[in-house]
Amino acid sequence: MTRLWIALHLPLLQLEIFRPNWLTEQATVVLEQNRITCASALARQSGAQIGMRKAGLQMLLPSALFYQRQPALETRTLQQVAMALLNYTPQVAYAGHDCLLMDIGASLRLFGGIRALCRRIKETMRVMGMTITLSCAPTAMGAWLLARNAASTADKLNKHSSKSRRQRPPATRILKLNKLVQSLDSLPVHLLPAATPWLDWLRGIACDHLGTLQKLPRAGLKRRCGKQILDVLDQAYGEQVELFEWIAIPPQFKVRIDMPDRIEHAEMVLAFIRSLLTQLMGWLTAKQLAVSQVDLQLEHERGRQAIAPTLLSILLAEPVWREDHLVRLLKERLAQVKLEAPVIAVSLDASQVQAMHVPNATLFPEPKAYAENHHRLLELLVARLGDNQVLQAAPQADHRPEIANHWTSVIHQQATEKQCQQQQPPLQASRPMWLLEKAIAIEIRQHRPYYQAPLKLLTSAERIEAGWWNGQLVTRDYFVAENPAHVRYWIYRERLGERQNEQTDTNASWFVHGVFG
């Protein structure tokens, strides 16, 4: 298996931890010790430069947004990005505070080649609101250098827009080692972190590119600059084995993000929830699990005027490990939520997970696929209409029709199916599937039941006498009756006891209890 690496450089990580790139464009900068360390495209076009003081930019752009740099939040966001990349490979490693490495040699065939895989990674980063520079190469350090060079070149071209139309962007997708060697030779030497203390000396001997650095005597370079610079060069050119520590996967998934602004409409939170779902799918893929319940918490005000968070739970009939179905369900649920206060943070918890059962690829469709589509349709209806608006039959082992004909929400479908298998009595053809919510009293005309028309009895009486153990005594004779239009009803004659006979002049009362379909 040929090893191939992808490097993701996040040049605007300091800024996008506060405002994802899909938010409305606004001049935004990040400060550290009152100097600019990162700026948005609009701020750079207005004159913002790295190292500029805050007061200087305020004179140029009074409406700019200023944030203080938060390295801890940058580290946490980089961990979240790495979690999302687990969708594509379990081998993800950190390469500095703003770069990630992925060993995707074993994933190319699964995702349809390097181009398709790069497109999917870019789409994942777009959902998370991150600007990236992506490169691939046969060595991890080579891919890292290509990504850093592409980001540096893009920044220079943005400053000189007239040159950007004439100059071609540098290569970032190299699959052959000999092509990588040629590309590395032309890269500037300042891209090597190990060469930073010696840049003045290297420029003094006209060593401006990695190719020239490779030609210097190794013994003398080692004595002057140390062994680290040689190790990095050998790793980039594929002459030394590269070892990495893969990211650790947490045993449970619970992630929280803060909103950049106070959000007053639940539908607007969906973009941030999608970022959390992308991380959840990466965690599930790495752990080989599927989720059957997702708990979402929309946080509001804290402190003295604290407001209880809005809780949303999605209970799935079939465990899933793909994002699209969960996004549809949450979109439907959020459309029905009326927020009591603006949302300031969102947290997502995978409360119920189980082992992933991936279906085998077959020539012909399997019956289980239709069952999964049916379950997903029911889940979508529940999310749109409400938990108690979509019901399913849950027969009970009881002869009384009111008890046996039980209905429950499909949100508890799995438990109900087990209950039905254990308690469901044998089906009886003389009973309809649907009963009236309340039996309708009918009259007797010429010694025959009459309900909109004379009814003809088709069966003999089915006597039901039960319920003395819990006080709900039923004493009835059931019949199947038919009217002249051939509509069949399930009717019964109530057999009254001695106490009831004292209060009525008749010894029987007739009711319509169900209709046959």
Side-chain angles (χ1 to χ4, degrees):
M1 180 185 65
T2 303
R3 299 198 75 175
L4 192 64
W5 295 82
I6 284 183
L8 273 78
H9 175 53
L10 287 74
L12 301 179
L13 177 64
Q14 300 179 22
L15 176 64
E16 289 170 347
I17 62 174
F18 302 106
R19 300 189 67 84
N21 59 14
W22 37 256
L23 286 178
T24 305
E25 180 64 22
Q26 189 172 1
T28 312
V29 296
V30 179
L31 303 174
E32 187 175 20
Q33 296 181 355
N34 210 33
R35 291 185 180 272
I36 298 176
T37 59
C38 188
S40 64
L42 185 58
R44 291 195 301 269
Q45 293 173 7
S46 302
Q49 297 181 4
I50 304 301
M52 178 184 291
R53 290 186 177 275
K54 178 181 178 181
L57 182 61
Q58 284 179 325
M59 296 178 61
L60 296 174
L61 198 61
S63 60
L65 292 177
F66 295 92
Y67 294 96
Q68 292 295 326
R69 185 179 180 186
Q70 296 188 19
L73 184 56
E74 294 174 19
T75 302
R76 189 175 69 184
T77 304
L78 193 65
Q79 293 172 351
Q80 295 174 355
V81 173
M83 189 75 67
L85 295 177
L86 293 175
N87 277 295
Y88 309 108
T89 174
Q91 298 176 328
V92 180
Y94 301 114
H97 69 281
D98 58 357
C99 191
L100 292 167
L101 294 173
M102 306 167 57
D103 185 356
I104 48 91
S107 305
L108 291 180
R109 184 176 179 182
L110 177 62
F111 293 100
I114 186 63
R115 292 185 178 180
L117 179 57
C118 289
R119 284 195 298 267
R120 294 189 61 167
I121 294 175
K122 290 178 180 178
E123 175 62 20
T124 298
M125 294 298 100
R126 185 195 66 80
V127 170
M128 298 197 67
M130 292 293 166
T131 301
I132 64 166
T133 302
L134 186 147
S135 65
C136 60
T139 65
M141 185 56 63
W144 185 85
L145 289 171
L146 292 177
R148 302 285 297 202
N149 180 60
S152 176
T153 304
D155 188 52
K156 293 179 181 178
L157 294 180
N158 289 332
K159 294 179 181 179
H160 307 282
S161 57
S162 59
K163 295 182 180 180
S164 62
R165 300 178 181 178
R166 301 190 302 268
Q167 185 174 348
R168 294 181 59 185
T172 57
R173 191 180 300 164
I174 301 175
L175 307 182
K176 300 292 184 62
L177 186 60
N178 56 347
K179 295 291 185 181
L180 175 63
V181 171
Q182 297 176 7
S183 298
L184 291 178
D185 287 344
S186 61
L187 295 185
V189 72
H190 68 79
L191 293 176
L192 284 178
T196 302
W198 319 101
L199 286 180
D200 293 338
W201 174 73
L202 291 173
R203 290 167 183 166
I205 61 174
C207 183
D208 296 327
H209 298 87
L210 297 185
T212 308
L213 185 62
Q214 273 283 80
K215 297 178 181 179
L216 293 178
R218 295 179 64 89
L221 186 61
K222 181 178 179 180
R223 286 195 302 269
R224 185 64 184 262
C225 303
K227 185 176 181 297
Q228 184 180 5
I229 192 171
L230 293 177
D231 292 339
V232 173
L233 276 177
D234 291 342
Q235 291 173 3
Y237 282 85
E239 299 175 359
Q240 183 173 328
V241 178
E242 299 172 291
L243 299 177
F244 295 96
E245 182 178 354
W246 310 122
I247 65 170
I249 305 173
Q252 296 180 346
F253 183 88
K254 186 172 184 180
V255 179
R256 179 183 178 277
I257 57 173
D258 294 317
M259 301 293 99
D261 301 305
R262 294 177 180 270
I263 299 180
E264 299 181 354
H265 301 284
E267 296 89 341
M268 299 178 62
V269 188
L270 183 62
F272 298 93
I273 295 176
R274 287 200 62 187
S275 174
L276 297 178
L277 288 177
T278 301
Q279 302 172 47
L280 173 61
M281 297 304 112
W283 182 81
L284 292 174
T285 302
K287 301 280 288 185
Q288 293 294 293
L289 296 174
V291 63
S292 56
Q293 181 173 343
V294 175
D295 297 326
L296 185 69
Q297 185 170 290
L298 308 180
E299 300 181 15
H300 306 297
E301 296 290 344
R302 292 190 292 267
R304 294 183 178 180
Q305 300 179 349
I307 299 177
T310 301
L311 303 178
L312 296 176
S313 293
I314 301 294
L315 182 61
L316 302 168
E318 291 289 335
V320 299
W321 59 91
R322 294 290 181 262
E323 178 184 358
D324 51 354
H325 184 52
L326 282 174
V327 170
R328 286 196 297 267
L329 295 179
L330 286 170
K331 185 177 181 180
E332 294 292 342
R333 292 292 297 271
L334 289 172
Q336 302 175 10
V337 174
K338 294 183 179 180
L339 298 176
E340 298 182 0
V343 179
I344 62 174
V346 180
S347 62
L348 186 69
D349 181 14
S351 55
Q352 294 184 14
V353 294
Q354 63 185 59
M356 180 191 301
H357 297 288
V358 182
N360 295 326
T362 57
L363 179 61
F364 301 102
E366 295 182 358
K368 183 180 179 182
Y370 299 102
E372 291 178 355
N373 293 336
H374 175 69
H375 292 322
R376 292 189 177 186
L377 174 61
L378 291 179
E379 291 165 358
L380 188 61
L381 290 175
V382 169
R384 180 173 300 178
L385 303 177
D387 294 347
N388 298 321
Q389 301 300 320
V390 184
L391 306 177
Q392 69 171 7
Q396 306 295 316
D398 198 301
H399 288 83
R400 291 168 293 179
E402 294 89 345
I403 307 299
N405 195 71
H406 181 65
W407 294 88
T408 185
S409 173
V410 295
I411 200 170
H412 305 294
Q413 183 169 2
Q414 290 180 337
T416 304
E417 288 178 352
K418 296 180 180 179
Q419 186 178 18
C420 291
Q421 293 175 2
Q422 297 173 0
Q423 301 183 4
Q424 183 174 356
L427 294 177
Q428 302 183 26
S430 61
R431 292 193 179 189
M433 293 297 297
W434 292 88
L435 296 182
L436 300 178
E437 184 176 356
K438 185 178 181 180
I440 301 175
I442 59 177
E443 55 184 338
I444 300 295
R445 295 185 182 180
Q446 298 179 355
H447 306 287
R448 295 177 62 183
Y450 187 92
Y451 179 63
Q452 300 176 352
L455 300 179
K456 178 183 178 181
L457 302 182
L458 302 181
T459 62
S460 58
E462 176 191 355
R463 179 160 296 181
I464 298 177
E465 295 183 359
W468 54 266
W469 53 87
N470 60 3
Q472 299 178 3
L473 182 61
V474 172
T475 307
R476 300 169 183 168
D477 289 339
Y478 278 88
F479 303 86
V480 177
E482 186 180 64
N483 67 5
H486 303 289
V487 178
R488 294 190 175 188
Y489 300 94
W490 201 39
I491 67 175
Y492 68 85
R493 179 179 60 190
E494 190 172 31
R495 301 174 64 251
L496 305 178
E498 295 180 357
R499 294 182 181 179
Q500 294 168 314
N501 287 335
E502 296 176 357
Q503 302 174 4
T504 182
D505 297 335
T506 62
N507 61 355
S509 300
W510 291 81
F511 297 85
V512 173
H513 203 179
V515 182
F516 288 90

